[in-house]
Amino acid sequence: MENHDLRTRDVVVIGAGLTGLTTAFYARKRGRDVEIVEQADRIGGQIRTHRVGDFIFESGPNTGVVSCPEVAELFNDLCPHCELEPARASSKRRLIWKDGRFHPLPSGIGSALTTPLFTWNDKLRILGEPWRRKGTDSDES
Ligand SMILES: Cc1cc2nc3c(=O)[nH]c(=O)nc-3n(C[C@H](O)[C@H](O)[C@H](O)COP(=O)(O)OP(=O)(O)OC[C@H]3O[C@@H](n4cnc5c(N)ncnc54)[C@H](O)[C@@H]3O)c2cc1C
């Protein structure tokens, strides 16, 4: 029978979302004895994939930046258990449902200013972006 006494573990991770699972994965890779504690009846946290008929869709995060070295490294390390599945070119056109209809997701300054998805306040802030000072956190989005 497996031992679930947390006091005997090197590392106990609370939460099996992306952060907890990644932390546990790397701790285990470094030879630590790890246990993950999750309150929900499923793992993944905000990440949730639905399969309905031939369709697969996400109700949480759906976009990742693979050019980040850490993300690329994680996918390499998870190989062959996890495979990168790039979105089809046709999914470049993204739509957001608002006020009873779909609106294309703005892809540039022109569409950002004309879209009904953003408030006038948002639009003014977008226009002010070039004059706003950069933060000092290199990890800032
Ligand atoms: C709708 C939506 C869209 C998003 N889109 C994107 C996107 O496109 N790209 C992107 O990069 N990011 C996106 N994000 C953000 C991204 O989903 C989160 O940053 C990331 O999933 C957070 O992971 P996490 O492990 O830190 O937290 P979570 O996923 O919230 O996981 C925390 C886990 O801890 C568990 N937990 C909490 N408290 C306890 C406790 N006391 N005991 C045991 N378990 C506990 C929870 O049940 C949960 O499973 C999106 C988020 C949402 C909600």
Side-chain angles (χ1 to χ4, degrees), residues 35-66:
E35 176 114 4
I36 307 179
V37 181
E38 171 55 57
Q39 65 183 356
D41 59 2
R42 50 175 281 279
I43 61 164
Q46 303 290 341
I47 298 174
R48 190 154 207 168
T49 306
H50 306 265
R51 285 163 206 276
V52 179
D54 289 339
F55 293 93
I56 302 177
F57 64 95
E58 307 292 327
S59 54
N62 51 60
T63 312
V65 183
V66 269

PDB file of all heavy atoms in Angstrom, residues 35-66:
ATOM      1  N   GLU A  35       4.766  14.833  -2.864  1.00  0.00           N
ATOM      2  CA  GLU A  35       3.330  14.502  -2.865  1.00  0.00           C
ATOM      3  C   GLU A  35       2.565  15.784  -3.210  1.00  0.00           C
ATOM      4  O   GLU A  35       2.900  16.868  -2.738  1.00  0.00           O
ATOM      5  CB  GLU A  35       2.908  13.996  -1.479  1.00  0.00           C
ATOM      6  CG  GLU A  35       1.427  13.723  -1.379  1.00  0.00           C
ATOM      7  CD  GLU A  35       1.078  12.255  -1.174  1.00  0.00           C
ATOM      8  OE1 GLU A  35       2.003  11.432  -1.025  1.00  0.00           O
ATOM      9  OE2 GLU A  35      -0.121  11.955  -1.168  1.00  0.00           O
ATOM     10  N   ILE A  36       1.547  15.634  -4.054  1.00  0.00           N
ATOM     11  CA  ILE A  36       0.704  16.784  -4.392  1.00  0.00           C
ATOM     12  C   ILE A  36      -0.640  16.604  -3.700  1.00  0.00           C
ATOM     13  O   ILE A  36      -1.220  15.522  -3.743  1.00  0.00           O
ATOM     14  CB  ILE A  36       0.463  16.894  -5.920  1.00  0.00           C
ATOM     15  CG1 ILE A  36       1.783  16.874  -6.679  1.00  0.00           C
ATOM     16  CG2 ILE A  36      -0.327  18.141  -6.244  1.00  0.00           C
ATOM     17  CD1 ILE A  36       1.632  16.954  -8.187  1.00  0.00           C
ATOM     18  N   VAL A  37      -1.110  17.699  -3.070  1.00  0.00           N
ATOM     19  CA  VAL A  37      -2.404  17.666  -2.399  1.00  0.00           C
ATOM     20  C   VAL A  37      -3.359  18.531  -3.212  1.00  0.00           C
ATOM     21  O   VAL A  37      -3.045  19.685  -3.514  1.00  0.00           O
ATOM     22  CB  VAL A  37      -2.275  18.258  -0.966  1.00  0.00           C
ATOM     23  CG1 VAL A  37      -3.608  18.197  -0.246  1.00  0.00           C
ATOM     24  CG2 VAL A  37      -1.197  17.537  -0.196  1.00  0.00           C
ATOM     25  N   GLU A  38      -4.481  17.971  -3.599  1.00  0.00           N
ATOM     26  CA  GLU A  38      -5.431  18.718  -4.425  1.00  0.00           C
ATOM     27  C   GLU A  38      -6.813  18.600  -3.804  1.00  0.00           C
ATOM     28  O   GLU A  38      -7.264  17.503  -3.483  1.00  0.00           O
ATOM     29  CB  GLU A  38      -5.400  18.197  -5.870  1.00  0.00           C
ATOM     30  CG  GLU A  38      -6.479  18.722  -6.782  1.00  0.00           C
ATOM     31  CD  GLU A  38      -6.548  20.249  -6.855  1.00  0.00           C
ATOM     32  OE1 GLU A  38      -5.549  20.894  -7.190  1.00  0.00           O
ATOM     33  OE2 GLU A  38      -7.633  20.795  -6.560  1.00  0.00           O
ATOM     34  N   GLN A  39      -7.507  19.763  -3.693  1.00  0.00           N
ATOM     35  CA  GLN A  39      -8.834  19.725  -3.061  1.00  0.00           C
ATOM     36  C   GLN A  39      -9.938  19.285  -4.042  1.00  0.00           C
ATOM     37  O   GLN A  39     -10.959  18.744  -3.621  1.00  0.00           O
ATOM     38  CB  GLN A  39      -9.183  21.092  -2.475  1.00  0.00           C
ATOM     39  CG  GLN A  39      -9.334  22.183  -3.528  1.00  0.00           C
ATOM     40  CD  GLN A  39      -9.600  23.558  -2.951  1.00  0.00           C
ATOM     41  OE1 GLN A  39      -9.742  23.709  -1.744  1.00  0.00           O
ATOM     42  NE2 GLN A  39      -9.663  24.564  -3.796  1.00  0.00           N
ATOM     43  N   ALA A  40      -9.706  19.521  -5.326  1.00  0.00           N
ATOM     44  CA  ALA A  40     -10.739  19.178  -6.307  1.00  0.00           C
ATOM     45  C   ALA A  40     -10.641  17.701  -6.688  1.00  0.00           C
ATOM     46  O   ALA A  40      -9.659  17.031  -6.364  1.00  0.00           O
ATOM     47  CB  ALA A  40     -10.569  20.055  -7.549  1.00  0.00           C
ATOM     48  N   ASP A  41     -11.641  17.225  -7.419  1.00  0.00           N
ATOM     49  CA  ASP A  41     -11.617  15.811  -7.814  1.00  0.00           C
ATOM     50  C   ASP A  41     -10.927  15.614  -9.155  1.00  0.00           C
ATOM     51  O   ASP A  41     -11.026  14.557  -9.775  1.00  0.00           O
ATOM     52  CB  ASP A  41     -13.036  15.233  -7.835  1.00  0.00           C
ATOM     53  CG  ASP A  41     -13.938  15.988  -8.786  1.00  0.00           C
ATOM     54  OD1 ASP A  41     -13.452  16.928  -9.455  1.00  0.00           O
ATOM     55  OD2 ASP A  41     -15.138  15.660  -8.860  1.00  0.00           O
ATOM     56  N   ARG A  42     -10.240  16.676  -9.628  1.00  0.00           N
ATOM     57  CA  ARG A  42      -9.519  16.558 -10.893  1.00  0.00           C
ATOM     58  C   ARG A  42      -8.254  17.404 -10.796  1.00  0.00           C
ATOM     59  O   ARG A  42      -8.171  18.317  -9.977  1.00  0.00           O
ATOM     60  CB  ARG A  42     -10.369  17.055 -12.072  1.00  0.00           C
ATOM     61  CG  ARG A  42     -10.994  18.426 -11.847  1.00  0.00           C
ATOM     62  CD  ARG A  42     -11.720  18.924 -13.057  1.00  0.00           C
ATOM     63  NE  ARG A  42     -10.813  19.470 -14.040  1.00  0.00           N
ATOM     64  CZ  ARG A  42     -10.302  20.689 -14.011  1.00  0.00           C
ATOM     65  NH1 ARG A  42     -10.591  21.525 -13.032  1.00  0.00           N
ATOM     66  NH2 ARG A  42      -9.495  21.104 -14.953  1.00  0.00           N
ATOM     67  N   ILE A  43      -7.284  17.114 -11.647  1.00  0.00           N
ATOM     68  CA  ILE A  43      -6.083  17.943 -11.675  1.00  0.00           C
ATOM     69  C   ILE A  43      -6.204  18.946 -12.826  1.00  0.00           C
ATOM     70  O   ILE A  43      -7.089  18.825 -13.667  1.00  0.00           O
ATOM     71  CB  ILE A  43      -4.795  17.094 -11.821  1.00  0.00           C
ATOM     72  CG1 ILE A  43      -4.806  16.303 -13.129  1.00  0.00           C
ATOM     73  CG2 ILE A  43      -4.602  16.205 -10.629  1.00  0.00           C
ATOM     74  CD1 ILE A  43      -3.449  15.777 -13.505  1.00  0.00           C
ATOM     75  N   GLY A  44      -5.324  19.935 -12.819  1.00  0.00           N
ATOM     76  CA  GLY A  44      -5.314  20.905 -13.920  1.00  0.00           C
ATOM     77  C   GLY A  44      -5.672  22.313 -13.478  1.00  0.00           C
ATOM     78  O   GLY A  44      -5.315  23.270 -14.141  1.00  0.00           O
ATOM     79  N   GLY A  45      -6.384  22.446 -12.364  1.00  0.00           N
ATOM     80  CA  GLY A  45      -6.766  23.791 -11.910  1.00  0.00           C
ATOM     81  C   GLY A  45      -7.571  24.516 -12.975  1.00  0.00           C
ATOM     82  O   GLY A  45      -8.571  23.991 -13.472  1.00  0.00           O
ATOM     83  N   GLN A  46      -7.095  25.716 -13.359  1.00  0.00           N
ATOM     84  CA  GLN A  46      -7.816  26.525 -14.357  1.00  0.00           C
ATOM     85  C   GLN A  46      -7.829  25.859 -15.725  1.00  0.00           C
ATOM     86  O   GLN A  46      -8.686  26.135 -16.550  1.00  0.00           O
ATOM     87  CB  GLN A  46      -7.132  27.900 -14.516  1.00  0.00           C
ATOM     88  CG  GLN A  46      -6.998  28.704 -13.253  1.00  0.00           C
ATOM     89  CD  GLN A  46      -8.327  29.220 -12.768  1.00  0.00           C
ATOM     90  OE1 GLN A  46      -9.296  29.280 -13.509  1.00  0.00           O
ATOM     91  NE2 GLN A  46      -8.376  29.595 -11.513  1.00  0.00           N
ATOM     92  N   ILE A  47      -6.850  24.992 -15.961  1.00  0.00           N
ATOM     93  CA  ILE A  47      -6.768  24.334 -17.269  1.00  0.00           C
ATOM     94  C   ILE A  47      -7.851  23.271 -17.357  1.00  0.00           C
ATOM     95  O   ILE A  47      -7.919  22.361 -16.517  1.00  0.00           O
ATOM     96  CB  ILE A  47      -5.388  23.676 -17.470  1.00  0.00           C
ATOM     97  CG1 ILE A  47      -4.305  24.745 -17.437  1.00  0.00           C
ATOM     98  CG2 ILE A  47      -5.337  22.889 -18.770  1.00  0.00           C
ATOM     99  CD1 ILE A  47      -2.902  24.178 -17.475  1.00  0.00           C
ATOM    100  N   ARG A  48      -8.696  23.402 -18.359  1.00  0.00           N
ATOM    101  CA  ARG A  48      -9.795  22.435 -18.495  1.00  0.00           C
ATOM    102  C   ARG A  48     -10.100  22.207 -19.973  1.00  0.00           C
ATOM    103  O   ARG A  48     -10.433  23.153 -20.689  1.00  0.00           O
ATOM    104  CB  ARG A  48     -11.027  22.970 -17.784  1.00  0.00           C
ATOM    105  CG  ARG A  48     -12.087  21.950 -17.685  1.00  0.00           C
ATOM    106  CD  ARG A  48     -12.995  22.182 -16.522  1.00  0.00           C
ATOM    107  NE  ARG A  48     -13.554  20.917 -16.086  1.00  0.00           N
ATOM    108  CZ  ARG A  48     -14.195  20.736 -14.964  1.00  0.00           C
ATOM    109  NH1 ARG A  48     -14.320  21.718 -14.125  1.00  0.00           N
ATOM    110  NH2 ARG A  48     -14.698  19.564 -14.663  1.00  0.00           N
ATOM    111  N   THR A  49      -9.916  20.969 -20.393  1.00  0.00           N
ATOM    112  CA  THR A  49     -10.147  20.622 -21.798  1.00  0.00           C
ATOM    113  C   THR A  49     -11.443  19.835 -21.910  1.00  0.00           C
ATOM    114  O   THR A  49     -11.671  18.909 -21.139  1.00  0.00           O
ATOM    115  CB  THR A  49      -8.973  19.760 -22.320  1.00  0.00           C
ATOM    116  OG1 THR A  49      -7.756  20.461 -22.078  1.00  0.00           O
ATOM    117  CG2 THR A  49      -9.113  19.487 -23.805  1.00  0.00           C
ATOM    118  N   HIS A  50     -12.288  20.254 -22.839  1.00  0.00           N
ATOM    119  CA  HIS A  50     -13.567  19.563 -23.053  1.00  0.00           C
ATOM    120  C   HIS A  50     -13.535  18.894 -24.423  1.00  0.00           C
ATOM    121  O   HIS A  50     -13.021  19.468 -25.381  1.00  0.00           O
ATOM    122  CB  HIS A  50     -14.725  20.565 -23.019  1.00  0.00           C
ATOM    123  CG  HIS A  50     -14.758  21.394 -21.779  1.00  0.00           C
ATOM    124  ND1 HIS A  50     -15.519  21.079 -20.685  1.00  0.00           N
ATOM    125  CD2 HIS A  50     -14.086  22.534 -21.455  1.00  0.00           C
ATOM    126  CE1 HIS A  50     -15.324  21.989 -19.739  1.00  0.00           C
ATOM    127  NE2 HIS A  50     -14.461  22.876 -20.175  1.00  0.00           N
ATOM    128  N   ARG A  51     -14.101  17.726 -24.488  1.00  0.00           N
ATOM    129  CA  ARG A  51     -14.236  17.033 -25.771  1.00  0.00           C
ATOM    130  C   ARG A  51     -15.720  16.780 -25.996  1.00  0.00           C
ATOM    131  O   ARG A  51     -16.368  16.097 -25.211  1.00  0.00           O
ATOM    132  CB  ARG A  51     -13.493  15.693 -25.733  1.00  0.00           C
ATOM    133  CG  ARG A  51     -12.007  15.873 -25.819  1.00  0.00           C
ATOM    134  CD  ARG A  51     -11.254  14.623 -25.382  1.00  0.00           C
ATOM    135  NE  ARG A  51      -9.938  15.019 -24.889  1.00  0.00           N
ATOM    136  CZ  ARG A  51      -8.889  15.218 -25.673  1.00  0.00           C
ATOM    137  NH1 ARG A  51      -8.981  15.026 -26.964  1.00  0.00           N
ATOM    138  NH2 ARG A  51      -7.736  15.594 -25.155  1.00  0.00           N
ATOM    139  N   VAL A  52     -16.211  17.379 -27.059  1.00  0.00           N
ATOM    140  CA  VAL A  52     -17.627  17.177 -27.410  1.00  0.00           C
ATOM    141  C   VAL A  52     -17.668  16.769 -28.877  1.00  0.00           C
ATOM    142  O   VAL A  52     -17.312  17.560 -29.759  1.00  0.00           O
ATOM    143  CB  VAL A  52     -18.451  18.473 -27.191  1.00  0.00           C
ATOM    144  CG1 VAL A  52     -19.911  18.235 -27.575  1.00  0.00           C
ATOM    145  CG2 VAL A  52     -18.346  18.962 -25.757  1.00  0.00           C
ATOM    146  N   GLY A  53     -18.067  15.528 -29.126  1.00  0.00           N
ATOM    147  CA  GLY A  53     -18.064  15.020 -30.499  1.00  0.00           C
ATOM    148  C   GLY A  53     -16.656  15.111 -31.065  1.00  0.00           C
ATOM    149  O   GLY A  53     -15.693  14.668 -30.437  1.00  0.00           O
ATOM    150  N   ASP A  54     -16.524  15.742 -32.248  1.00  0.00           N
ATOM    151  CA  ASP A  54     -15.205  15.870 -32.885  1.00  0.00           C
ATOM    152  C   ASP A  54     -14.455  17.114 -32.418  1.00  0.00           C
ATOM    153  O   ASP A  54     -13.373  17.398 -32.904  1.00  0.00           O
ATOM    154  CB  ASP A  54     -15.372  15.950 -34.414  1.00  0.00           C
ATOM    155  CG  ASP A  54     -15.793  14.616 -34.978  1.00  0.00           C
ATOM    156  OD1 ASP A  54     -15.569  13.596 -34.302  1.00  0.00           O
ATOM    157  OD2 ASP A  54     -16.355  14.596 -36.095  1.00  0.00           O
ATOM    158  N   PHE A  55     -15.055  17.883 -31.512  1.00  0.00           N
ATOM    159  CA  PHE A  55     -14.442  19.153 -31.115  1.00  0.00           C
ATOM    160  C   PHE A  55     -13.708  19.036 -29.786  1.00  0.00           C
ATOM    161  O   PHE A  55     -14.128  18.317 -28.893  1.00  0.00           O
ATOM    162  CB  PHE A  55     -15.513  20.248 -30.972  1.00  0.00           C
ATOM    163  CG  PHE A  55     -16.143  20.626 -32.282  1.00  0.00           C
ATOM    164  CD1 PHE A  55     -17.302  20.010 -32.707  1.00  0.00           C
ATOM    165  CD2 PHE A  55     -15.550  21.574 -33.101  1.00  0.00           C
ATOM    166  CE1 PHE A  55     -17.872  20.335 -33.927  1.00  0.00           C
ATOM    167  CE2 PHE A  55     -16.112  21.914 -34.313  1.00  0.00           C
ATOM    168  CZ  PHE A  55     -17.273  21.289 -34.729  1.00  0.00           C
ATOM    169  N   ILE A  56     -12.592  19.769 -29.722  1.00  0.00           N
ATOM    170  CA  ILE A  56     -11.859  19.886 -28.461  1.00  0.00           C
ATOM    171  C   ILE A  56     -11.827  21.373 -28.161  1.00  0.00           C
ATOM    172  O   ILE A  56     -11.491  22.170 -29.042  1.00  0.00           O
ATOM    173  CB  ILE A  56     -10.404  19.394 -28.586  1.00  0.00           C
ATOM    174  CG1 ILE A  56     -10.357  17.948 -29.041  1.00  0.00           C
ATOM    175  CG2 ILE A  56      -9.668  19.567 -27.270  1.00  0.00           C
ATOM    176  CD1 ILE A  56      -8.930  17.426 -29.243  1.00  0.00           C
ATOM    177  N   PHE A  57     -12.207  21.767 -26.975  1.00  0.00           N
ATOM    178  CA  PHE A  57     -12.072  23.184 -26.632  1.00  0.00           C
ATOM    179  C   PHE A  57     -11.673  23.362 -25.174  1.00  0.00           C
ATOM    180  O   PHE A  57     -11.842  22.469 -24.351  1.00  0.00           O
ATOM    181  CB  PHE A  57     -13.340  23.977 -26.986  1.00  0.00           C
ATOM    182  CG  PHE A  57     -14.566  23.573 -26.228  1.00  0.00           C
ATOM    183  CD1 PHE A  57     -14.938  24.239 -25.080  1.00  0.00           C
ATOM    184  CD2 PHE A  57     -15.346  22.523 -26.681  1.00  0.00           C
ATOM    185  CE1 PHE A  57     -16.075  23.876 -24.376  1.00  0.00           C
ATOM    186  CE2 PHE A  57     -16.486  22.148 -25.989  1.00  0.00           C
ATOM    187  CZ  PHE A  57     -16.863  22.820 -24.845  1.00  0.00           C
ATOM    188  N   GLU A  58     -11.108  24.544 -24.934  1.00  0.00           N
ATOM    189  CA  GLU A  58     -10.596  24.862 -23.602  1.00  0.00           C
ATOM    190  C   GLU A  58     -11.503  25.899 -22.965  1.00  0.00           C
ATOM    191  O   GLU A  58     -11.903  26.857 -23.619  1.00  0.00           O
ATOM    192  CB  GLU A  58      -9.193  25.478 -23.707  1.00  0.00           C
ATOM    193  CG  GLU A  58      -8.191  24.683 -24.504  1.00  0.00           C
ATOM    194  CD  GLU A  58      -7.814  23.384 -23.843  1.00  0.00           C
ATOM    195  OE1 GLU A  58      -7.793  23.334 -22.614  1.00  0.00           O
ATOM    196  OE2 GLU A  58      -7.567  22.408 -24.569  1.00  0.00           O
ATOM    197  N   SER A  59     -11.803  25.736 -21.670  1.00  0.00           N
ATOM    198  CA  SER A  59     -12.577  26.782 -21.001  1.00  0.00           C
ATOM    199  C   SER A  59     -11.675  27.601 -20.078  1.00  0.00           C
ATOM    200  O   SER A  59     -12.124  28.499 -19.390  1.00  0.00           O
ATOM    201  CB  SER A  59     -13.756  26.185 -20.237  1.00  0.00           C
ATOM    202  OG  SER A  59     -13.314  25.186 -19.364  1.00  0.00           O
ATOM    203  N   GLY A  60     -10.402  27.293 -20.059  1.00  0.00           N
ATOM    204  CA  GLY A  60      -9.420  28.080 -19.306  1.00  0.00           C
ATOM    205  C   GLY A  60      -8.402  28.607 -20.293  1.00  0.00           C
ATOM    206  O   GLY A  60      -8.770  29.060 -21.371  1.00  0.00           O
ATOM    207  N   PRO A  61      -7.102  28.527 -19.955  1.00  0.00           N
ATOM    208  CA  PRO A  61      -6.090  29.035 -20.862  1.00  0.00           C
ATOM    209  C   PRO A  61      -6.087  28.301 -22.197  1.00  0.00           C
ATOM    210  O   PRO A  61      -6.311  27.094 -22.238  1.00  0.00           O
ATOM    211  CB  PRO A  61      -4.773  28.802 -20.126  1.00  0.00           C
ATOM    212  CG  PRO A  61      -5.077  27.797 -19.088  1.00  0.00           C
ATOM    213  CD  PRO A  61      -6.508  27.949 -18.744  1.00  0.00           C
ATOM    214  N   ASN A  62      -5.878  29.046 -23.254  1.00  0.00           N
ATOM    215  CA  ASN A  62      -5.891  28.426 -24.590  1.00  0.00           C
ATOM    216  C   ASN A  62      -4.689  28.856 -25.412  1.00  0.00           C
ATOM    217  O   ASN A  62      -4.496  28.408 -26.518  1.00  0.00           O
ATOM    218  CB  ASN A  62      -7.176  28.799 -25.332  1.00  0.00           C
ATOM    219  CG  ASN A  62      -7.392  30.284 -25.306  1.00  0.00           C
ATOM    220  OD1 ASN A  62      -6.563  31.036 -25.801  1.00  0.00           O
ATOM    221  ND2 ASN A  62      -8.497  30.732 -24.723  1.00  0.00           N
ATOM    222  N   THR A  63      -3.873  29.761 -24.880  1.00  0.00           N
ATOM    223  CA  THR A  63      -2.744  30.275 -25.650  1.00  0.00           C
ATOM    224  C   THR A  63      -1.493  30.265 -24.791  1.00  0.00           C
ATOM    225  O   THR A  63      -1.538  30.707 -23.647  1.00  0.00           O
ATOM    226  CB  THR A  63      -3.011  31.742 -26.072  1.00  0.00           C
ATOM    227  OG1 THR A  63      -4.314  31.808 -26.624  1.00  0.00           O
ATOM    228  CG2 THR A  63      -1.993  32.227 -27.074  1.00  0.00           C
ATOM    229  N   GLY A  64      -0.420  29.757 -25.344  1.00  0.00           N
ATOM    230  CA  GLY A  64       0.845  29.780 -24.617  1.00  0.00           C
ATOM    231  C   GLY A  64       1.942  30.302 -25.521  1.00  0.00           C
ATOM    232  O   GLY A  64       1.832  30.198 -26.747  1.00  0.00           O
ATOM    233  N   VAL A  65       2.962  30.887 -24.927  1.00  0.00           N
ATOM    234  CA  VAL A  65       4.059  31.418 -25.738  1.00  0.00           C
ATOM    235  C   VAL A  65       5.192  30.407 -25.705  1.00  0.00           C
ATOM    236  O   VAL A  65       5.911  30.300 -24.720  1.00  0.00           O
ATOM    237  CB  VAL A  65       4.522  32.790 -25.196  1.00  0.00           C
ATOM    238  CG1 VAL A  65       5.609  33.384 -26.071  1.00  0.00           C
ATOM    239  CG2 VAL A  65       3.337  33.737 -25.109  1.00  0.00           C
ATOM    240  N   VAL A  66       5.313  29.635 -26.790  1.00  0.00           N
ATOM    241  CA  VAL A  66       6.337  28.583 -26.802  1.00  0.00           C
ATOM    242  C   VAL A  66       7.731  29.157 -27.016  1.00  0.00           C
ATOM    243  O   VAL A  66       8.715  28.449 -26.847  1.00  0.00           O
ATOM    244  CB  VAL A  66       6.056  27.498 -27.861  1.00  0.00           C
ATOM    245  CG1 VAL A  66       5.254  26.370 -27.304  1.00  0.00           C
ATOM    246  CG2 VAL A  66       5.432  28.048 -29.096  1.00  0.00           C
TER     247      VAL A  66
END
